[in-house]
């Protein structure tokens, strides 16, 4: 079985991230439960990490998209001063969590 690759433009990723922020805002306004909000927040956070690591999008660029929609709402849990660029993405997630 041959390996297939998928290519998605950075612009499409940014648009998906923006749509995720909008969906989060709408769900929060509707009073959706925490599970739904956590799923959307996880999607947005994952998109941010992919864009930061592979799309070479800076935290400032992500913030410029996020703030007009969500303001200063943090989508990550309780990590003050958390920046995507602080993560060593070369290390598997399970090992990073063991260090915390």
């Amino acid at each position: 079985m041959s390996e297939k690759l998928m290519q998605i433009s950075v612009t499409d990723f940014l648009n998906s991230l923006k749509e995720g922020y909008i969906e989060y805002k709408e769900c929060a306004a509707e009073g959706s439960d925490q599970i739904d909000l956590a799923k959307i927040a996880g999607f947005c956070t994952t998109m941010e990490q992919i864009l930061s690591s592979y799309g070479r999008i800076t935290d400032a660029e992500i913030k410029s998209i996020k703030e007009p929609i969500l303001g200063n709402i943090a989508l990550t849990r309780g990590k003050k001063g958390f920046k995507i660029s602080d993560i060593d993405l070369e290390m598997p997630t399970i090992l990073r969590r063991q260090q915390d």
Side-chain angles (χ1 to χ4, degrees), residues 9-58:
S9 73
V10 171
T11 303
D12 287 343
F13 257 83
L14 287 169
N15 289 333
S16 293
L17 177 60
K18 184 176 182 178
E19 290 173 19
Y21 291 150
I22 292 168
E23 185 174 351
Y24 184 92
K25 182 178 181 176
E26 290 172 353
C27 286
E30 293 172 0
S32 295
D33 63 18
Q34 292 299 311
I35 294 172
D36 287 340
L37 290 174
K39 288 177 183 177
I40 298 166
F43 167 81
C44 291
T45 302
T46 300
M47 295 294 284
E48 290 170 355
Q49 291 172 344
I50 291 169
L51 285 162
S52 179
S53 297
Y54 302 108
R56 303 292 187 235
I57 301 297
T58 65

Side-chain angles (χ1 to χ4, degrees), residues 80-91:
K80 303 289 183 200
F82 174 79
K83 292 182 183 175
I84 296 169
S85 58
D86 292 341
I87 299 173
D88 177 8
L89 295 173
E90 296 300 318
M91 180 184 295

